[in-house]
Amino acid sequence: MQTITQMLGAVRRRTPDATAVAYRGRRLTFTELDDAARRAARGLSELGVGPGDRVALWLPNSPAWLVLWLGAARLGAITVAVNTRFRAVEVADIVRRAGAKALALWPGFRGIPFLDILGEIDRSALERIETLLLYEEADAGRGSSSAPAALPASLAHCRRAAFPDLLERPTLDEDWAMSGDGSNMFTTSGTTRAPKFVLHSHASVTAHALTMARELGYAAHPEGGALGALPLCGVFGFCQMTAALAAGCTLALTSAFDAAEAVRLVDEHRVRYLNVTDDMVMAMFDTTRREIALPTVAACGFAAFAAKPDELLASAQARGLPLVGLYGMSEVQAFFSRQPLDAAPERRLLGGGVPLDPAARVRVRNPESGRLLPAGESGEIELAGPSLMREYFGNPTATEETTTSDRFVRSGDLGHLTGDGGFVYLARMGDAMRLGGFLVSPAEIEGHLNEHPAVRGAQVVGVDTERGPRPVAFVTITALGGFDEATLRDHCGRSLARFKVPARIFAVDEFPTTRSANGTKIRRAELRRMAHERLRAGAPKFA
């Protein structure tokens, strides 16, 4: 058990002059990063931040994000990750319910009017904020102490501080945190109700970072960098960053993903173990014509959100990139498990895998009977281990509902055990369909539709009809042929049980998506709404 700053201190002692962060042509060694964090801790302390206080980081990826996170950790304060895509309603809810004492932002980032957005928020939601910490960049990423002349009326009660001024303070050498103290909060992706705040401790963050550094290969190859293109405000990007930090390798950081820049950084820093989303992989393929797209990469862990699986597999095999499926969630962090590197490509594409930490455990439970299930039977995945969250901040009821008495978290995901210590993720429990008396993953039907040459992509949702629950499919069409619903239903009927054949199949130009901190995701709730709407417009064409 240790604190985040103790983990950084160990790396500093081991490799003081190694590059910790590379960003816009600037490099920070581990010594420089640690010193900057200690100065930021002193500055935050003088601004009234102390143990247990919350510091909201409404910032894109930058060295300042790391410095403020590490500085707050030294004080025993808790950082609250706020997505830069969030707007007034979302930001107001987060800073109010989290009780943020300080808010850090970069007012001019990508032309987004962050201060104007704050001006739209009622002052009552911002009243606990005492300090607005302003960050900006000049050429080559150097900080500038200039700041807007006036703050919006909703923040008139706040003091204003410039990030570079913190770095002028003397270093703070004390580490006020304890391993069990809270360190980081991430918001869940709530849809029908307010998101929950997932609170992790120093112990869960450092234990998982050290496990990732060891099991993902970074510790064995610290000369190879890590790509920090995923947003640090999301648990996926955050865990990639902590793995690099724990291993003592260079984090090549970029404030926003650009495929060409990502390829250049992978080459420059000889990234050996890459972790990105499936749409990022495809974009990187598109930006380079090299036969071996990323020659330094020995394995690419990915999260599946948008790409068609067989297209992704074919592209990766053709371009010499070994893909490996990952699984994670905010409650257990992003790299809870990974598919075996030596597994067949078809298995490596699946979500789930074998837990990275030998102390982690997985089981699957029938959600109706409560019975624990053997390998091969699908139910709700439950997870436990050192990377588990401490609690849902400020919400003991949700914590009790989500965690079992023996400290497993109910994931809300459908999957099954594989019998070799691993598991396969199939779908969200809310997306699983009860058809013909069986729990069916939409991925099974989607995979079959994707095999048809006319289908570019498929998404399946379950809807209630007069005939009971039925699957409804949405497809995008390739240039090889037009859309013919009857042909696609016949294609399904030849290989799938009748109750799995979609009641209707609708062609769309594209699927509704949303950008989250962890990647682009299909809005399945919107697809269900579309399905209900189209079915109401006329009686189902097929029985």
Coordinates of all heavy atoms in Angstrom, one line a residue, residues 462-535:
G462 N -33.6 -4.7 -28.4 CA -34.8 -5.4 -28.1 C -35.9 -4.4 -27.8 O -35.7 -3.4 -27.1
V463 N -37.1 -4.7 -28.3 CA -38.3 -3.9 -28.1 C -39.5 -4.8 -27.7 O -39.5 -6.0 -28.1 CB -38.6 -3.1 -29.3 CG1 -37.5 -2.1 -29.7 CG2 -38.9 -3.9 -30.5
D464 N -40.4 -4.2 -27.0 CA -41.6 -5.0 -26.6 C -42.7 -4.7 -27.7 O -42.9 -3.6 -28.0 CB -42.1 -4.5 -25.3 CG -41.2 -4.9 -24.1 OD1 -40.6 -6.0 -24.2 OD2 -41.1 -4.1 -23.2
T465 N -43.2 -5.8 -28.2 CA -44.3 -5.7 -29.2 C -45.5 -6.5 -28.7 O -45.4 -7.1 -27.6 CB -43.8 -6.3 -30.5 OG1 -43.7 -7.8 -30.4 CG2 -42.4 -5.8 -30.9
E466 N -46.6 -6.5 -29.5 CA -47.8 -7.2 -29.1 C -47.5 -8.7 -29.0 O -48.2 -9.5 -28.4 CB -48.9 -6.9 -30.1 CG -49.4 -5.5 -30.0 CD -50.5 -5.2 -31.0 OE1 -50.8 -6.2 -31.8 OE2 -51.1 -4.1 -31.0
R467 N -46.5 -9.1 -29.8 CA -46.1 -10.6 -29.8 C -45.0 -10.9 -28.7 O -44.4 -12.0 -28.7 CB -45.6 -10.9 -31.2 CG -46.6 -10.8 -32.3 CD -46.0 -11.0 -33.6 NE -47.0 -10.8 -34.7 CZ -47.7 -11.9 -35.3 NH1 -47.4 -13.1 -34.9 NH2 -48.5 -11.6 -36.2
G468 N -44.7 -9.9 -27.9 CA -43.7 -10.1 -26.9 C -42.4 -9.4 -27.3 O -42.3 -8.7 -28.3
P469 N -41.3 -9.6 -26.5 CA -40.0 -9.0 -26.8 C -39.5 -9.5 -28.2 O -39.5 -10.7 -28.4 CB -39.1 -9.4 -25.7 CG -40.0 -9.9 -24.6 CD -41.2 -10.4 -25.3
R470 N -39.0 -8.6 -29.0 CA -38.5 -9.0 -30.3 C -37.2 -8.1 -30.6 O -37.2 -7.0 -30.2 CB -39.5 -8.8 -31.5 CG -40.8 -9.6 -31.3 CD -40.5 -11.1 -31.4 NE -39.8 -11.4 -32.6 CZ -40.4 -11.7 -33.8 NH1 -41.7 -11.6 -33.9 NH2 -39.7 -12.1 -34.9
P471 N -36.3 -8.7 -31.3 CA -35.1 -7.9 -31.7 C -35.4 -7.1 -33.0 O -36.2 -7.5 -33.9 CB -34.1 -9.0 -32.1 CG -34.8 -10.2 -32.5 CD -36.1 -10.1 -31.7
V472 N -34.9 -5.9 -33.0 CA -35.0 -5.0 -34.2 C -33.6 -4.6 -34.6 O -32.8 -4.2 -33.7 CB -35.9 -3.8 -33.9 CG1 -35.9 -2.7 -35.0 CG2 -37.3 -4.2 -33.6
A473 N -33.3 -4.6 -35.8 CA -31.9 -4.3 -36.3 C -31.9 -3.0 -37.1 O -32.9 -2.7 -37.8 CB -31.4 -5.5 -37.1
F474 N -30.8 -2.3 -37.0 CA -30.5 -1.2 -37.8 C -29.1 -1.5 -38.5 O -28.2 -2.0 -37.9 CB -30.3 0.1 -37.0 CG -31.6 0.6 -36.4 CD1 -32.0 0.1 -35.2 CD2 -32.4 1.5 -37.1 CE1 -33.2 0.5 -34.6 CE2 -33.6 1.9 -36.5 CZ -34.0 1.4 -35.3
V475 N -29.1 -1.2 -39.8 CA -27.9 -1.6 -40.6 C -27.5 -0.4 -41.4 O -28.3 0.4 -41.9 CB -28.0 -2.8 -41.5 CG1 -28.3 -4.1 -40.7 CG2 -29.2 -2.6 -42.5
T476 N -26.1 -0.3 -41.6 CA -25.6 0.6 -42.7 C -25.2 -0.3 -43.8 O -24.7 -1.4 -43.6 CB -24.5 1.5 -42.1 OG1 -23.5 0.6 -41.6 CG2 -24.9 2.5 -41.1
I477 N -25.3 0.2 -45.0 CA -25.1 -0.6 -46.2 C -23.8 -0.3 -46.9 O -23.4 0.9 -47.0 CB -26.3 -0.4 -47.2 CG1 -27.6 -0.8 -46.5 CG2 -26.2 -1.2 -48.4 CD1 -27.6 -2.2 -46.0
T478 N -23.2 -1.3 -47.5 CA -22.0 -1.1 -48.2 C -22.3 -0.7 -49.7 O -23.5 -0.6 -50.1 CB -21.2 -2.4 -48.3 OG1 -21.9 -3.4 -49.1 CG2 -20.9 -3.0 -47.0
A479 N -21.3 -0.4 -50.4 CA -21.5 0.0 -51.8 C -21.7 -1.2 -52.7 O -22.0 -1.0 -53.9 CB -20.3 0.8 -52.3
L480 N -21.7 -2.4 -52.2 CA -21.8 -3.6 -53.0 C -23.2 -3.9 -53.4 O -23.5 -4.6 -54.4 CB -21.3 -4.8 -52.2 CG -19.8 -4.8 -51.8 CD1 -19.4 -6.0 -51.0 CD2 -18.9 -4.7 -53.1
G481 N -24.2 -3.3 -52.8 CA -25.6 -3.6 -53.1 C -26.5 -2.8 -52.3 O -26.2 -2.1 -51.3
G482 N -27.8 -2.7 -52.8 CA -28.8 -2.0 -52.1 C -29.4 -2.7 -50.9 O -29.0 -3.9 -50.6
F483 N -30.2 -2.0 -50.2 CA -30.8 -2.6 -49.0 C -32.1 -3.4 -49.4 O -33.0 -2.9 -50.1 CB -31.2 -1.5 -48.0 CG -32.0 -1.9 -46.8 CD1 -31.5 -2.8 -45.9 CD2 -33.4 -1.5 -46.7 CE1 -32.3 -3.2 -44.8 CE2 -34.1 -2.0 -45.6 CZ -33.6 -2.8 -44.7
D484 N -32.1 -4.6 -48.9 CA -33.3 -5.5 -49.1 C -33.6 -6.2 -47.8 O -32.9 -7.1 -47.4 CB -33.1 -6.5 -50.2 CG -34.4 -7.3 -50.5 OD1 -34.6 -8.3 -49.8 OD2 -35.1 -6.9 -51.4
E485 N -34.6 -5.8 -47.1 CA -34.9 -6.3 -45.8 C -35.2 -7.8 -45.8 O -34.7 -8.5 -44.9 CB -36.1 -5.5 -45.2 CG -36.4 -5.9 -43.7 CD -37.6 -5.1 -43.1 OE1 -38.3 -4.4 -43.9 OE2 -37.8 -5.2 -41.9
A486 N -36.0 -8.2 -46.7 CA -36.3 -9.7 -46.8 C -35.1 -10.5 -46.9 O -35.0 -11.6 -46.3 CB -37.3 -9.9 -47.9
T487 N -34.2 -10.1 -47.8 CA -32.9 -10.9 -48.0 C -32.1 -11.0 -46.7 O -31.6 -12.0 -46.4 CB -32.1 -10.2 -49.1 OG1 -32.8 -10.2 -50.3 CG2 -30.8 -10.9 -49.3
L488 N -32.0 -9.9 -46.0 CA -31.3 -9.9 -44.7 C -32.0 -10.8 -43.7 O -31.3 -11.5 -42.9 CB -31.1 -8.5 -44.2 CG -30.1 -7.6 -45.1 CD1 -30.0 -6.2 -44.4 CD2 -28.8 -8.2 -45.2
R489 N -33.3 -10.7 -43.6 CA -34.0 -11.6 -42.7 C -33.8 -13.1 -43.0 O -33.7 -13.9 -42.2 CB -35.5 -11.2 -42.6 CG -35.7 -9.9 -41.9 CD -37.2 -9.7 -41.7 NE -37.7 -10.4 -40.5 CZ -38.4 -11.5 -40.5 NH1 -38.8 -12.1 -41.6 NH2 -38.8 -12.1 -39.3
D490 N -33.9 -13.4 -44.3 CA -33.6 -14.8 -44.8 C -32.2 -15.2 -44.4 O -32.0 -16.3 -44.0 CB -33.8 -14.9 -46.3 CG -35.3 -14.8 -46.7 OD1 -36.1 -14.9 -45.8 OD2 -35.6 -14.5 -47.9
H491 N -31.2 -14.3 -44.5 CA -29.9 -14.6 -44.1 C -29.8 -14.9 -42.7 O -29.1 -15.9 -42.3 CB -29.0 -13.4 -44.4 CG -27.6 -13.4 -43.9 ND1 -26.6 -14.3 -44.4 CD2 -27.0 -12.7 -42.8 CE1 -25.5 -14.1 -43.6 NE2 -25.8 -13.2 -42.7
C492 N -30.5 -14.2 -41.8 CA -30.5 -14.5 -40.4 C -31.2 -15.9 -40.1 O -30.8 -16.7 -39.3 CB -31.2 -13.4 -39.6 SG -30.3 -11.9 -39.6
G493 N -32.4 -16.1 -40.8 CA -33.2 -17.2 -40.6 C -32.5 -18.5 -40.9 O -32.8 -19.6 -40.4
R494 N -31.5 -18.5 -41.8 CA -30.8 -19.7 -42.2 C -29.9 -20.2 -41.1 O -29.5 -21.4 -41.1 CB -30.0 -19.5 -43.5 CG -30.9 -19.4 -44.8 CD -30.0 -19.5 -46.0 NE -29.2 -18.4 -46.2 CZ -29.6 -17.3 -46.9 NH1 -30.8 -17.2 -47.4 NH2 -28.8 -16.3 -47.0
S495 N -29.4 -19.4 -40.2 CA -28.4 -19.8 -39.2 C -28.8 -19.5 -37.8 O -28.3 -20.1 -36.9 CB -27.1 -19.1 -39.5 OG -26.6 -19.4 -40.8
L496 N -29.8 -18.7 -37.6 CA -30.2 -18.3 -36.2 C -31.6 -18.9 -35.9 O -32.4 -19.2 -36.7 CB -30.3 -16.8 -36.1 CG -29.0 -16.0 -36.3 CD1 -29.3 -14.5 -36.2 CD2 -28.0 -16.3 -35.2
A497 N -31.8 -19.2 -34.6 CA -33.1 -19.6 -34.1 C -34.1 -18.6 -34.5 O -33.8 -17.4 -34.5 CB -33.1 -19.8 -32.6
R498 N -35.3 -19.0 -34.7 CA -36.4 -18.1 -35.2 C -36.6 -16.9 -34.3 O -36.8 -15.8 -34.7 CB -37.7 -18.9 -35.4 CG -38.8 -18.0 -36.0 CD -40.0 -18.8 -36.3 NE -41.0 -18.0 -36.9 CZ -42.2 -18.4 -37.3 NH1 -42.6 -19.6 -37.1 NH2 -43.1 -17.6 -37.8
F499 N -36.5 -17.1 -33.0 CA -36.7 -16.0 -32.0 C -35.6 -15.0 -32.1 O -35.8 -13.9 -31.5 CB -37.0 -16.5 -30.6 CG -35.8 -17.2 -30.0 CD1 -34.8 -16.5 -29.4 CD2 -35.8 -18.6 -29.9 CE1 -33.7 -17.2 -28.8 CE2 -34.7 -19.3 -29.3 CZ -33.7 -18.6 -28.8
K500 N -34.5 -15.3 -32.7 CA -33.4 -14.3 -32.8 C -33.4 -13.5 -34.1 O -32.7 -12.6 -34.3 CB -32.1 -15.1 -32.7 CG -31.8 -15.7 -31.4 CD -30.4 -16.4 -31.4 CE -30.2 -17.2 -30.1 NZ -28.9 -17.9 -30.1
V501 N -34.3 -13.9 -35.0 CA -34.4 -13.2 -36.3 C -35.1 -11.9 -36.1 O -36.2 -11.9 -35.5 CB -35.2 -14.1 -37.3 CG1 -35.3 -13.3 -38.6 CG2 -34.4 -15.4 -37.6
P502 N -34.5 -10.8 -36.5 CA -35.1 -9.5 -36.2 C -36.5 -9.4 -36.8 O -36.8 -9.8 -37.9 CB -34.1 -8.5 -36.9 CG -32.8 -9.2 -37.0 CD -33.1 -10.7 -37.1
A503 N -37.4 -8.8 -36.0 CA -38.7 -8.5 -36.5 C -38.7 -7.6 -37.6 O -39.5 -7.7 -38.6 CB -39.6 -8.0 -35.3
R504 N -37.9 -6.6 -37.5 CA -37.7 -5.6 -38.6 C -36.2 -5.3 -38.7 O -35.5 -5.3 -37.7 CB -38.5 -4.3 -38.4 CG -40.0 -4.4 -38.4 CD -40.5 -4.9 -39.7 NE -40.1 -4.1 -40.9 CZ -40.8 -3.1 -41.4 NH1 -41.9 -2.7 -40.8 NH2 -40.3 -2.4 -42.4
I505 N -35.8 -4.9 -39.9 CA -34.4 -4.4 -40.2 C -34.6 -3.1 -40.9 O -35.2 -3.1 -42.0 CB -33.6 -5.5 -41.0 CG1 -33.6 -6.8 -40.3 CG2 -32.2 -4.9 -41.2 CD1 -32.9 -7.9 -41.1
F506 N -34.0 -2.1 -40.4 CA -34.1 -0.7 -41.0 C -32.7 -0.3 -41.4 O -31.7 -0.5 -40.7 CB -34.6 0.3 -40.0 CG -36.0 -0.1 -39.5 CD1 -36.2 -0.5 -38.2 CD2 -37.1 0.1 -40.3 CE1 -37.5 -0.8 -37.8 CE2 -38.4 -0.2 -39.9 CZ -38.6 -0.7 -38.6
A507 N -32.6 0.3 -42.6 CA -31.3 0.9 -43.0 C -31.2 2.3 -42.6 O -32.2 3.1 -42.6 CB -31.3 0.9 -44.6
V508 N -30.0 2.7 -42.1 CA -29.8 4.1 -41.7 C -28.4 4.5 -42.3 O -27.6 3.7 -42.7 CB -29.7 4.2 -40.2 CG1 -31.0 4.0 -39.5 CG2 -28.6 3.3 -39.6
D509 N -28.3 5.8 -42.5 CA -27.0 6.3 -43.0 C -25.9 6.2 -42.0 O -24.7 5.9 -42.4 CB -27.2 7.8 -43.4 CG -28.1 8.0 -44.6 OD1 -28.2 7.1 -45.4 OD2 -28.7 9.1 -44.7
E510 N -26.2 6.3 -40.7 CA -25.2 6.2 -39.7 C -25.9 5.9 -38.4 O -27.1 6.3 -38.2 CB -24.3 7.4 -39.6 CG -25.0 8.7 -39.3 CD -24.0 9.9 -39.3 OE1 -22.9 9.8 -39.9 OE2 -24.5 10.9 -38.8
F511 N -25.2 5.4 -37.4 CA -25.8 5.1 -36.1 C -25.6 6.3 -35.2 O -24.6 7.1 -35.3 CB -25.1 3.9 -35.4 CG -25.1 2.6 -36.2 CD1 -24.0 2.0 -36.6 CD2 -26.4 2.1 -36.6 CE1 -24.0 0.8 -37.4 CE2 -26.4 0.9 -37.4 CZ -25.3 0.3 -37.8
P512 N -26.6 6.6 -34.4 CA -26.4 7.7 -33.4 C -25.3 7.4 -32.4 O -25.2 6.3 -31.9 CB -27.8 7.8 -32.7 CG -28.4 6.4 -32.8 CD -27.9 5.9 -34.2
T513 N -24.4 8.3 -32.2 CA -23.3 8.1 -31.4 C -23.1 9.3 -30.4 O -23.7 10.3 -30.6 CB -22.0 7.9 -32.1 OG1 -21.7 9.1 -32.9 CG2 -22.0 6.7 -33.1
T514 N -22.3 9.0 -29.4 CA -21.9 10.1 -28.5 C -20.5 10.0 -28.1 O -19.9 8.8 -28.1 CB -22.8 10.1 -27.2 OG1 -22.5 11.2 -26.4 CG2 -22.5 8.8 -26.4
R515 N -19.8 11.1 -28.0 CA -18.4 11.1 -27.6 C -18.3 11.1 -26.1 O -18.8 12.0 -25.5 CB -17.6 12.2 -28.2 CG -17.5 12.2 -29.7 CD -16.6 11.0 -30.2 NE -15.3 11.0 -29.6 CZ -14.3 11.7 -30.2 NH1 -14.4 12.3 -31.3 NH2 -13.1 11.7 -29.6
S516 N -17.6 10.2 -25.5 CA -17.3 10.2 -24.1 C -15.8 10.3 -23.9 O -15.1 10.3 -24.8 CB -17.8 8.9 -23.4 OG -17.0 7.8 -23.7
A517 N -15.4 10.4 -22.6 CA -14.0 10.6 -22.3 C -13.3 9.3 -22.7 O -12.0 9.3 -22.9 CB -13.8 10.8 -20.8
N518 N -14.0 8.2 -22.8 CA -13.3 6.9 -23.1 C -13.5 6.5 -24.5 O -13.0 5.4 -24.9 CB -13.8 5.8 -22.2 CG -13.5 6.1 -20.7 OD1 -12.3 6.5 -20.4 ND2 -14.4 6.0 -19.8
G519 N -14.2 7.2 -25.4 CA -14.3 6.9 -26.8 C -15.7 7.1 -27.3 O -16.6 7.6 -26.6
T520 N -15.9 6.9 -28.6 CA -17.2 7.1 -29.2 C -18.0 5.8 -29.0 O -17.6 4.7 -29.3 CB -17.0 7.3 -30.8 OG1 -16.2 8.4 -30.9 CG2 -18.3 7.5 -31.4
K521 N -19.3 6.0 -28.5 CA -20.2 4.9 -28.2 C -21.5 5.1 -29.0 O -22.0 6.2 -29.2 CB -20.4 4.9 -26.7 CG -19.2 4.7 -25.9 CD -19.5 4.6 -24.4 CE -18.2 4.4 -23.5 NZ -18.5 4.3 -22.1
I522 N -22.0 3.9 -29.3 CA -23.3 3.9 -29.9 C -24.4 4.2 -28.9 O -24.4 3.7 -27.8 CB -23.6 2.5 -30.5 CG1 -22.6 2.1 -31.6 CG2 -25.0 2.5 -31.2 CD1 -22.5 2.9 -32.8
R523 N -25.3 5.1 -29.3 CA -26.4 5.5 -28.3 C -27.6 4.5 -28.5 O -28.5 4.6 -29.3 CB -26.9 6.9 -28.6 CG -25.8 7.9 -28.4 CD -26.2 9.3 -29.0 NE -27.5 9.7 -28.6 CZ -28.2 10.6 -29.3 NH1 -27.7 11.1 -30.4 NH2 -29.4 11.0 -28.9
R524 N -27.5 3.4 -27.8 CA -28.5 2.3 -27.9 C -29.8 2.7 -27.4 O -30.9 2.2 -28.0 CB -28.0 1.0 -27.2 CG -26.6 0.5 -27.7 CD -26.2 -0.8 -27.1 NE -27.0 -1.9 -27.6 CZ -26.7 -2.6 -28.7 NH1 -25.6 -2.3 -29.4 NH2 -27.4 -3.6 -29.1
A525 N -29.9 3.6 -26.5 CA -31.2 4.1 -26.0 C -31.9 4.8 -27.1 O -33.1 4.7 -27.3 CB -31.0 5.0 -24.8
E526 N -31.2 5.6 -27.9 CA -31.7 6.3 -29.1 C -32.2 5.3 -30.1 O -33.2 5.5 -30.8 CB -30.7 7.3 -29.7 CG -31.1 8.0 -30.9 CD -32.4 8.8 -30.8 OE1 -32.8 9.1 -29.6 OE2 -32.9 9.3 -31.8
L527 N -31.4 4.2 -30.3 CA -31.9 3.2 -31.3 C -33.2 2.5 -30.8 O -34.0 2.2 -31.7 CB -30.8 2.1 -31.5 CG -29.5 2.5 -32.2 CD1 -28.5 1.4 -32.3 CD2 -29.9 2.9 -33.7
R528 N -33.3 2.3 -29.5 CA -34.5 1.7 -29.0 C -35.7 2.7 -29.3 O -36.8 2.2 -29.7 CB -34.4 1.3 -27.6 CG -33.7 0.0 -27.3 CD -33.8 -0.4 -25.8 NE -33.0 0.4 -25.0 CZ -31.7 0.1 -24.7 NH1 -31.1 -1.0 -25.3 NH2 -31.0 0.9 -23.9
R529 N -35.5 3.9 -29.1 CA -36.5 4.9 -29.3 C -36.9 4.9 -30.8 O -38.1 5.0 -31.1 CB -36.1 6.3 -28.9 CG -37.1 7.4 -29.0 CD -36.6 8.8 -29.0 NE -35.8 9.0 -30.2 CZ -36.3 9.3 -31.4 NH1 -37.6 9.3 -31.6 NH2 -35.5 9.5 -32.5
M530 N -35.9 4.9 -31.7 CA -36.2 4.8 -33.1 C -36.9 3.6 -33.5 O -37.9 3.6 -34.3 CB -34.8 4.9 -33.9 CG -34.1 6.2 -33.8 SD -32.4 6.2 -34.3 CE -32.6 5.6 -36.0
A531 N -36.6 2.5 -32.9 CA -37.3 1.2 -33.2 C -38.8 1.3 -32.8 O -39.7 0.9 -33.6 CB -36.6 0.0 -32.5
H532 N -39.0 1.8 -31.6 CA -40.4 1.9 -31.1 C -41.2 2.9 -32.1 O -42.3 2.6 -32.4 CB -40.5 2.4 -29.7 CG -40.2 1.4 -28.7 ND1 -41.1 0.4 -28.4 CD2 -39.2 1.2 -27.8 CE1 -40.6 -0.4 -27.4 NE2 -39.4 0.1 -27.1
E533 N -40.5 4.0 -32.4 CA -41.2 5.0 -33.3 C -41.5 4.4 -34.7 O -42.7 4.6 -35.2 CB -40.3 6.2 -33.4 CG -40.9 7.3 -34.2 CD -39.9 8.5 -34.3 OE1 -39.0 8.4 -35.1 OE2 -40.0 9.4 -33.5
R534 N -40.6 3.6 -35.2 CA -40.9 3.1 -36.6 C -41.9 1.9 -36.5 O -42.7 1.7 -37.5 CB -39.5 2.6 -37.2 CG -38.6 3.8 -37.4 CD -37.4 3.4 -38.2 NE -36.5 4.5 -38.3 CZ -35.5 4.6 -39.2 NH1 -35.3 3.6 -40.1 NH2 -34.7 5.6 -39.3
L535 N -41.9 1.2 -35.5 CA -42.9 0.1 -35.3 C -44.3 0.7 -35.1 O -45.3 0.1 -35.6 CB -42.5 -0.8 -34.2 CG -41.3 -1.7 -34.4 CD1 -41.0 -2.6 -33.1 CD2 -41.5 -2.6 -35.6

